[in-house]
Amino acid sequence: SQQGEEDPQALSIQEGENATMNCSYKTSINNLQWYRQNSGRGLVHLILIRSNEREKHSGRLRVTLDTSKKSSSLLITASRAADTASYFCATDAYYNQGGKLIFGQGTELSVKP
Amino acid sequence: GAGVSQSPSNKVTEKGKDVELRCDPISGHTALYWYRQSLGQGLEFLIYFQGNSAPDKSGLPSDRFSAERTGGSVSTLTIQRTQQEDSAVYLCASSLGLAGGLNTQYFGPGTRLTVL
């Protein structure tokens, strides 16, 4: 079963706009990671935020984590057509041994030039 | 350095045949994970290795699925007597370790398996 749920399932924006994707999860976590996937193949790691962190930045990406609400958001600023992809959140649940990730269903982002 | 590699990139097989999928992790990564991605089920964990041991096989869908890892490096995922519902993209990932920030997982390009 999936740990996370992502919202929205699909998002279409114009180049230059900001894109916000949300992820909710069910159990306590060690960390939460965001990945991007192009064309249904390999996933590219974007950012990892630990359970004791609240916000993290990487280039045009900003991730927030609210453990009290069991939710995270990924903000992509000044989007580009090349950002078009599916974005997944993945949690490393606290009860897990071994760091296996449980993925959300993903948000399909389309950035129109 | 090289990333995670997987072979073959595509595999078409007939129902009932056995298939082997291979994963070469990033050099020095002790942890290796197998996931699969299908339209109906999303991304699902299958099994992970720490070194050559597989402490968690909980995601393997049936006893037709097995995996091994040798020399703390290459891993093979074997599916026996394939069924049409096995059709999916099989993804391998590796990480430096298991805990905290060490379990940032780096994924290979995947193997697309089609069972006719």
Side-chain angles (χ1 to χ4, degrees), chain B residues 46-79:
Chain B
L46 297 177
I47 186 172
Y48 92 90
F49 289 88
Q50 173 62 13
N52 292 335
S53 301
D56 188 349
K57 307 178 184 179
S58 62
L60 294 178
S62 76
D63 58 9
R64 295 186 296 105
F65 287 71
S66 63
E68 65 174 14
R69 189 181 186 194
T70 54
S73 181
V74 171
S75 176
T76 54
L77 176 69
T78 301
I79 310 173

Side-chain angles (χ1 to χ4, degrees), chain B:
Chain B
V4 177
S5 62
Q6 292 186 246
S7 61
S9 56
N10 286 284
K11 177 72 176 177
V12 180
T13 190
E14 293 179 348
K15 179 181 169 181
K17 302 278 190 186
D18 297 351
V19 295
E20 276 192 0
L21 312 179
R22 176 187 167 109
C23 172
D24 258 293
I26 293 172
S27 178
H29 281 197
T30 60
L32 185 148
Y33 304 79
W34 283 98
Y35 297 86
R36 77 174 176 182
Q37 186 175 29
S38 55
L39 278 176
Q41 300 298 323
L43 269 151
E44 304 173 282
F45 165 81
L46 297 177
I47 186 172
Y48 92 90
F49 289 88
Q50 173 62 13
N52 292 335
S53 301
D56 188 349
K57 307 178 184 179
S58 62
L60 294 178
S62 76
D63 58 9
R64 295 186 296 105
F65 287 71
S66 63
E68 65 174 14
R69 189 181 186 194
T70 54
S73 181
V74 171
S75 176
T76 54
L77 176 69
T78 301
I79 310 173
Q80 295 179 309
R81 305 180 303 281
T82 52
Q83 303 294 312
Q84 288 181 331
E85 62 261 28
D86 300 334
S87 296
V89 176
Y90 289 81
L91 293 161
C92 175
S94 69
S95 66
L96 271 172
L98 302 177
L102 293 180
N103 84 326
T104 296
Q105 294 181 25
Y106 298 89
F107 281 78
T111 294
R112 184 178 297 279
L113 175 65
T114 303
V115 182
L116 300 176

